Amino acid sequence: MLKYLPNAITSLRLLLAFPLGMLILQQDYAMALAVGLLAGITDALDGFAARRLGYFSRFGAALDPIADKLLILVTFACLAMIELVPIAVAAVVIGRDLVIVVGAICYRLLVGPIEFAASKLSKLNMLVQICFCVMLLALQLLPPLPAYLLQGATVLLIAIAVVSGADYVLTWSRKARQQNASAS
């Protein structure tokens, strides 16, 4: 039964995306913060459980980034809709994930099977995104931070999104060239 635990945790994160989005749109920041924290914890727990228990599966390897991307898409879209983040910031974050997804589909169609493995930069990106969203939701319940701290967090969020997105594009472009060269 324990072998299903990592995938169950990832599935929970996938299912939390829509309630989190609805709570943000309803501006129920306390509940959104609780759900957001739970989603963030599941992101750490599923990988830990898979490593600790030794239960890795292709399904889990594919489901984890899908859950991450859906959670980020819904969260940033909703934060932008209620104007807690500028649309441009949400576009950078969501755009990064769309580029990765489209790139993965193209790679699969044009080159071959894809290894599902997050880079260290991608893991850092997810951590920054989760922390940014938690901070933003918490700020709706707490006294405001100095503007420069929120601006700094936003710059960090954008920078890591761009750098980690570029890393994926460069890494997978190199793999595609190597695959095509070895096939010739």
Side-chain angles (χ1 to χ4, degrees), residues 109-161:
L109 293 174
L110 300 173
V111 178
I114 299 169
E115 294 175 27
F116 295 105
S119 69
K120 288 181 181 179
L121 269 173
S122 182
K123 289 178 182 182
L124 176 61
N125 179 67
M126 188 64 181
L127 177 64
V128 168
Q129 289 175 344
I130 290 169
C131 290
F132 181 86
C133 291
V134 166
M135 177 194 73
L136 200 56
L137 291 171
L139 285 174
Q140 306 314 303
L141 303 170
L142 302 170
L145 282 176
Y148 69 89
L149 289 177
L150 184 56
Q151 291 167 347
T154 303
V155 168
L156 176 64
L157 174 80
I158 292 169
I160 193 67

Side-chain angles (χ1 to χ4, degrees), residues 42-54:
T42 65
D43 187 40
L45 280 181
D46 61 0
F48 175 78
R51 283 187 300 280
R52 183 78 167 158
L53 299 171

Side-chain angles (χ1 to χ4, degrees), residues 71-178:
L71 187 68
I72 293 305
L73 174 103
V74 168
T75 301
F76 275 89
C78 292
L79 289 171
M81 289 170 74
I82 62 167
E83 300 178 353
L84 282 184
V85 296
I87 290 174
V89 171
V92 168
V93 171
I94 293 168
R96 172 206 177 265
D97 285 351
L98 289 176
V99 165
I100 291 170
V101 169
V102 169
I105 291 168
C106 290
Y107 188 94
R108 175 68 180 108
L109 293 174
L110 300 173
V111 178
I114 299 169
E115 294 175 27
F116 295 105
S119 69
K120 288 181 181 179
L121 269 173
S122 182
K123 289 178 182 182
L124 176 61
N125 179 67
M126 188 64 181
L127 177 64
V128 168
Q129 289 175 344
I130 290 169
C131 290
F132 181 86
C133 291
V134 166
M135 177 194 73
L136 200 56
L137 291 171
L139 285 174
Q140 306 314 303
L141 303 170
L142 302 170
L145 282 176
Y148 69 89
L149 289 177
L150 184 56
Q151 291 167 347
T154 303
V155 168
L156 176 64
L157 174 80
I158 292 169
I160 193 67
V162 169
V163 170
S164 66
D167 179 59
Y168 265 109
V169 170
L170 294 173
T171 299
W172 286 95
S173 295
R174 186 175 34 248
K175 286 183 181 189
R177 281 193 301 275
Q178 289 170 350

